[in-house]
Amino acid sequence: MKRTRGKKGRVEGRTTPWKALAEVRDLLGDAPRTREYLIEYLHKIQDRYHHISNRHILALAIDMQLPMAEVYETATFYHHFDVIKPGGKPPPHLTVRVCDSLACEMFGARQLIEDLKKKSNGQIRIQPVPCVGRCAGAPVAVVGMNPVEQATTEKVNKVVNNNQTEPEIPDCIDYQAYRKDGGYKTLIDCVAGNYKPEDIIKIMEDSNLRGLGGAGFPTGRKWRILSEQPAPKMVAINIDEGEPGTFKDRYYLERDPHRFIEGTFIASWAIEDVEAVYIYLRDEYAGCRKMLEAELEKLKQDPPCDLPPIHLRRGAGAYICGEESAMIESIEGKKGMPRLRPPYVAQVGLFGRPTLEQNMESMHWVRDIIEKGPGWFASHGRHDRKGLRSFSVSGRVKKPGVHIAPAGITMRELIDEYCDGMLDGHEFYGYLPGGASGGILPASLGDVPLDFDTLQPHGCFIGSAAIVVLSDKDRVRDIALNAMRFFEDESCGQCTPCRVGTAKAVHLMEKEEWDEGLLEELARAMEDASICGLGQAAPNPLRCAIKYFPEEFE
């Protein structure tokens, strides 16, 4: 870090900042100072002071006995930490974040950002940000931590003027209500010996449940692999759904949080010898975080049976942490950069232990599958597909939101049967079946079954089932450019093909005429040489735009 001279010739960043050190110690109290809590403590400083000064970076490094460079690099990796260099000016006390990702841009986010900036007079920071997980309410602004859906300048200013900066706490099924309705009985039966671990793993295998975070790995098979690993083991639950267009995990979390928690503990029991459970929640879900903290405390105070320790970890605005190994790095208090594989996280994961990593929605279905039998889940489906899918639908439909539908339903069926059709005056033109990374398909392919493995022949994938519906009022080349800008902004920078490739692609796609040959060469390099799925999938939207919407490039 560059050293600068402060008052009386002192070198800032090298002398002990006693006042800042006292503030940090007062803020952290008796909490442990181990590395895994670094991001949690950076959040405490950010929340208290609305920025993180160089002196607080140094003070935290001293207090945690970490190199200052490591603390600085970790803090600057994440979008939600405002790290101020020596002599720098802190941001205004209040920040209004406006999502400018796919659905929000379609519904006027850019104009909203311009209008808010004109009226802010520099007293409030207006900050364009990636998807905040509320695509059905586009456009969305977040005032402090309070999300405002269908945002207008007037609505946002009213919230600001009323100082409504805290999120609403979801009115969920709480611990007492969940227990009263039979919750945790299945877990109790497992612990009491009414099931054997092999029984539960076999039920999950027969159910055909696959990982619902995007990868689609069979859940039962993953549990079996973990059951064969040496003790001790860890469990990590991923609720960092940062894919533009995705908000299904928030939907379930706001309504019935203990269902996924019970599923998680059942999984922990089934694979055996679990030392601890970690839940990684994206920072944008502030209301869910407060609710979940309260519900986990109720669970700890009155547990239904012996449970492994459970810890809630707060993300800090990094899409890449949706990747399982990057999430694990973040839980450990580090920059969220994907690990090279092998070894896989099932072998060497969180804190070096074999780790079961699962998406939250996958755990949401566990209790129902056990109680109703594996055939119940597998009995759903259309067009020779099996199971249920939670589709996060946004865009040009009358009824956006989370729609629970049979796996294999087609796009046209989903629009007509679940979304009440297209918006008035809009004609179905195309759709993104798996968020920004899943590619873009034309309306002529609206009868393809939506499920794992059905879209790959068309150069797309369903991922987390983040559906964005396009109409004849949209330009696919603009949608593809929006997606590539997102990937450029969210690339962790670890590998050159992704870091440089996404930036170069944006530059080329901003031109009136696309150099299709050069873009394909670039896409191939990103796909072949990127370390993780971000760089590998980033070319999908641009390739689909060129392949399926040639009329836009004539």
Side-chain angles (χ1 to χ4, degrees):
M1 182 185 296
K2 182 179 178 181
R3 296 189 295 172
T4 58
R5 293 286 173 180
K7 294 180 180 180
K8 300 182 181 179
R10 293 176 299 188
V11 181
E12 294 195 27
R14 292 295 179 266
T15 56
T16 302
W18 295 109
K19 181 180 177 182
L21 186 58
E23 291 170 341
V24 165
R25 288 174 173 169
D26 179 65
L27 197 59
L28 304 188
D30 295 330
R33 299 308 201 258
T34 51
R35 174 63 187 266
E36 68 173 281
Y37 294 100
L38 175 57
I39 294 171
E40 296 294 306
Y41 296 162
L42 288 167
H43 273 302
K44 286 182 177 291
I45 297 171
Q46 175 75 37
D47 291 346
R48 172 69 64 86
Y49 299 101
H50 303 287
H51 68 278
I52 303 175
S53 68
N54 189 67
R55 289 181 165 272
H56 282 130
I57 292 280
L58 177 55
L60 190 59
I62 293 170
D63 195 49
M64 296 188 72
Q65 299 182 26
L66 292 171
M68 183 179 179
E70 286 192 28
V71 178
Y72 179 82
E73 288 178 358
T74 302
T76 54
F77 179 85
Y78 296 94
H79 296 313
H80 290 186
F81 297 137
D82 293 308
V83 180
I84 308 301
K85 296 181 179 180
K89 184 179 179 181
H93 186 75
L94 180 62
T95 295
V96 176
R97 297 177 172 89
V98 183
C99 173
D100 64 359
S101 288
L102 297 170
C104 286
E105 183 176 272
M106 291 166 61
F107 284 89
R110 292 197 178 277
Q111 186 62 52
L112 176 62
I113 292 168
E114 291 181 15
D115 292 344
L116 288 172
K117 284 184 176 180
K118 289 177 183 177
K119 296 189 177 184
S120 70
N121 297 320
Q123 298 177 1
I124 298 172
R125 179 172 57 166
I126 308 299
Q127 187 178 59
V129 296
C131 186
V132 296
R134 295 181 176 273
C135 316
V140 180
V142 184
V143 180
M145 293 184 177
N146 184 18
V148 180
E149 298 186 356
Q150 283 92 38
T152 63
T153 307
E154 292 73 22
K155 285 179 70 173
V156 172
N157 285 336
K158 182 178 180 180
V159 171
V160 170
N161 293 335
N162 291 336
N163 197 32
Q164 297 171 310
T165 59
E166 291 299 314
E168 182 178 347
I169 308 301
D171 184 19
C172 68
I173 299 172
D174 67 6
Y175 181 60
Q176 289 76 18
Y178 185 76
R179 288 290 304 272
K180 186 177 181 180
D181 195 37
Y184 290 105
K185 183 180 182 302
T186 301
L187 173 63
I188 293 170
D189 287 343
C190 289
V191 174
N194 295 337
Y195 294 99
K196 296 178 181 179
E198 172 61 27
D199 298 334
I200 297 299
I201 293 175
K202 186 66 167 60
I203 288 172
M204 299 311 298
E205 288 176 330
D206 293 344
S207 73
N208 201 48
L209 178 68
R210 297 173 66 169
L212 299 174
F217 192 86
T219 303
R221 191 191 309 172
K222 183 181 284 191
W223 290 19
R224 185 169 297 283
I225 290 170
L226 263 296
S227 71
E228 297 168 351
Q229 300 303 309
K233 306 165 192 176
M234 309 294 282
V235 172
I237 303 300
N238 194 334
I239 321 181
D240 193 60
E241 53 175 2
E243 182 71 36
T246 308
F247 46 92
K248 63 181 181 62
D249 289 350
R250 177 180 59 80
Y251 173 87
Y252 288 116
L253 185 58
E254 289 178 340
R255 289 159 175 78
D256 196 1
H258 287 279
R259 191 167 293 268
F260 97 86
I261 297 171
E262 181 173 7
T264 299
F265 282 127
I266 291 172
S268 304
W269 173 85
I271 66 172
E272 301 184 274
D273 300 312
V274 167
E275 185 177 275
V277 172
Y278 284 79
I279 299 172
Y280 189 84
L281 177 66
R282 72 179 307 200
D283 195 34
E284 287 83 352
Y285 294 167
C288 289
R289 184 178 68 254
K290 293 186 176 183
M291 174 271 291
L292 195 52
E293 287 172 344
E295 292 305 312
L296 289 176
E297 185 58 32
K298 294 176 186 176
L299 178 65
K300 293 173 184 177
Q301 293 298 322
D302 180 27
C305 53
D306 288 337
L307 302 174
I310 185 167
H311 308 280
L312 179 62
R313 288 289 181 268
R314 180 178 173 184
Y319 166 75
I320 192 64
C321 289
E323 195 275 339
E324 61 179 7
S325 64
M327 179 193 70
I328 285 172
E329 289 285 298
S330 188
I331 291 174
E332 292 179 356
K334 306 170 186 174
K335 295 179 292 183
M337 287 189 169
R339 298 175 179 176
L340 291 172
R341 288 169 286 192
Y344 297 94
V345 299
Q347 301 164 310
V348 182
L350 189 56
F351 306 118
R353 277 82 180 260
T355 300
L356 175 66
E357 187 274 346
Q358 295 276 197
N359 170 254
M360 178 220 155
E361 191 204 344
S362 303
M363 297 297 92
H364 174 88
W365 293 112
V366 168
R367 177 188 164 191
D368 281 335
I369 289 171
I370 296 172
E371 293 179 359
K372 299 177 182 179
W376 167 78
F377 191 80
S379 68
H380 296 276
R382 292 187 187 178
H383 308 295
D384 299 321
R385 310 305 297 179
K386 294 182 179 180
L388 290 168
R389 294 305 304 265
S390 304
F391 294 94
S392 305
V393 184
S394 60
R396 310 298 189 180
V397 293
K398 290 182 178 177
K399 188 181 177 183
V402 173
H403 298 294
I404 304 168
I409 193 171
T410 69
M411 191 66 248
R412 291 187 187 278
E413 290 171 340
L414 188 63
I415 292 172
D416 293 340
E417 297 176 30
Y418 289 84
C419 302
D420 294 347
M422 299 291 292
L423 289 172
D424 292 338
H426 289 258
E427 182 179 336
F428 181 36
Y429 180 53
Y431 62 105
L432 289 83
S437 61
I440 311 172
L441 291 174
S444 60
L445 291 175
D447 295 318
V448 176
L450 296 172
D451 197 16
F452 296 114
D453 313 318
T454 60
L455 302 172
Q456 278 82 343
H458 306 287
C460 296
F461 59 80
I462 193 170
S464 59
I467 307 288
V468 184
V469 182
L470 311 178
S471 78
D472 55 343
K473 304 295 191 294
D474 301 305
R475 287 208 317 170
V476 167
R477 59 182 295 158
D478 294 337
I479 298 296
L481 176 57
N482 180 291
M484 191 60 74
R485 284 173 174 157
F486 171 80
F487 293 129
E488 178 192 18
D489 189 51
E490 293 294 338
S491 172
C492 74
Q494 181 175 189
C495 62
T496 302
C498 178
R499 181 185 67 251
V500 177
T502 52
K504 182 66 174 178
V506 167
H507 175 70
L508 293 172
M509 294 167 71
E510 287 175 336
K511 297 180 180 295
E512 186 61 32
E513 292 189 14
W514 287 13
D515 187 332
E516 296 181 12
L518 183 55
L519 280 168
E520 176 54 32
E521 184 178 343
L522 188 62
R524 196 177 307 116
M526 293 166 64
E527 181 182 51
D528 292 344
S530 294
I531 290 174
C532 79
L534 191 156
Q536 295 163 10
N540 288 342
L542 80 87
R543 280 174 161 167
C544 288
I546 294 170
K547 179 179 180 180
Y548 294 117
F549 302 88
E551 67 278 4
E552 294 194 13
F553 300 92
E554 294 175 355

